[in-house]
Amino acid sequence: MFAIIQTGGKQYKVKAGDELEIERLSVGKAKTIKLDRVLLLSNDGKVEVGHPFVKGAYCDAELLQEVKGPKSISFKYIRREKSATKRGHRQQYLRIKIKSFHSN
């Protein structure tokens, strides 16, 4: 059994027990997340395809921790102008574990 879900503008193929990092969501202090944007759900050879999402289908996930991605640095330099700009960025992610899938 697997599903294709959409979150943070990206699509992921997940199975029960998978751990993945998704873009940070505002979940507050909740330990579980309900991901309801299911694009495709496969259950024992039976495939449900959504238009664009499968109605009534959702995925339960457990929040493991909040993590930060690698630092990326943008450096802009203009010669003979005494101009240099340096900016850094670190994306924040949620590490989650997929628990189960539900369909109506």
Side-chain angles (χ1 to χ4, degrees):
M1 179 172 191
F2 71 92
I4 297 177
I5 61 170
Q6 177 183 355
T7 180
K10 298 174 182 70
Q11 297 175 2
Y12 302 95
K13 179 181 177 183
V14 294
K15 296 182 288 192
D18 283 354
E19 290 185 11
L20 64 143
E21 291 181 358
I22 61 172
E23 288 192 19
R24 187 173 173 203
L25 304 170
S26 59
V27 294
K29 296 190 182 247
K31 294 290 181 185
T32 60
I33 301 170
K34 181 179 174 181
L35 302 168
D36 59 350
R37 292 183 165 207
V38 179
L39 300 169
L40 182 135
L41 185 64
S42 173
N43 186 7
D44 299 328
K46 180 181 165 189
V47 177
E48 294 181 54
V49 180
H51 300 283
F53 305 115
V54 179
K55 288 193 177 199
Y58 63 94
C59 174
D60 282 329
E62 175 186 0
L63 176 63
L64 299 177
Q65 66 180 356
E66 294 186 22
V67 294
K68 288 185 179 181
K71 183 180 282 188
S72 63
I73 296 174
S74 170
F75 185 74
K76 182 179 178 182
Y77 176 74
I78 302 174
R79 61 185 181 152
R80 296 187 296 270
E81 299 274 336
K82 291 189 179 178
S83 173
T85 306
K86 181 179 178 181
R87 301 218 174 185
H89 175 75
R90 269 186 101 171
Q91 186 69 35
Q92 295 183 349
Y93 296 103
L94 292 178
R95 182 170 289 144
I96 62 171
K97 183 174 185 176
I98 305 297
K99 293 199 295 190
S100 62
F101 303 106
H102 302 281
S103 176
N104 289 343

